[in-house]
């Protein structure tokens, strides 16, 4: 199994305000989903799966310009951002 860390940030420090992330497998099955909690400027989530293709989708919410994220492999290698 492969493990990634989703590193989330909010420029205003007040959470993602409606933006949500969704981690899906190559067949479109949602494996996990979440958001950056109200009142937080940063947060993390562990994303797991067997070897294969995965997709991270992030919805826009109220202030998409404040939302940022990146995915880091278990060996601290940045994979996507």
């Amino acid at each position: 199994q492969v493990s990634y860390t989703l590193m989330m940030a909010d420029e205003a420090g007040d959470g993602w305000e409606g933006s949500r992330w969704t981690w899906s497998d190559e067949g479109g099955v949602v494996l996990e989903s979440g958001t950056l909690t109200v009142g937080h400027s940063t947060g993390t989530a562990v994303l797991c799966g067997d070897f294969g293709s995965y997709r991270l989708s992030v919805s826009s919410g109220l202030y998409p310009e404040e939302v940022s994220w990146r995915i880091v492999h278990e060996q601290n290698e940045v994979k996507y951002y």
Side-chain angles (χ1 to χ4, degrees):
Q1 191 163 38
V2 182
S3 176
Y4 298 95
T5 300
L6 171 61
M7 303 180 78
M8 302 170 279
D10 182 82
E11 189 176 299
D14 55 4
W16 276 9
E17 298 177 291
S19 292
R20 293 191 59 79
W21 59 266
T22 304
W23 182 245
S24 305
D25 68 13
E26 58 192 336
V29 175
V30 174
L31 304 173
E32 300 177 61
S33 64
T35 189
L36 180 60
T37 307
V38 172
H40 290 85
S41 59
T42 61
T44 61
V46 176
L47 308 174
C48 297
D50 294 326
F51 293 95
S53 298
Y54 296 90
R55 178 185 183 109
L56 180 76
S57 301
V58 179
S59 64
S60 60
L62 294 175
Y63 301 100
E65 67 277 6
E66 295 177 3
V67 171
S68 62
W69 56 272
R70 63 187 175 140
I71 297 174
V72 179
H73 188 264
E74 56 196 3
Q75 298 166 345
N76 291 326
E77 175 184 338
V78 175
K79 300 303 272 186
Y80 307 99
Y81 55 93

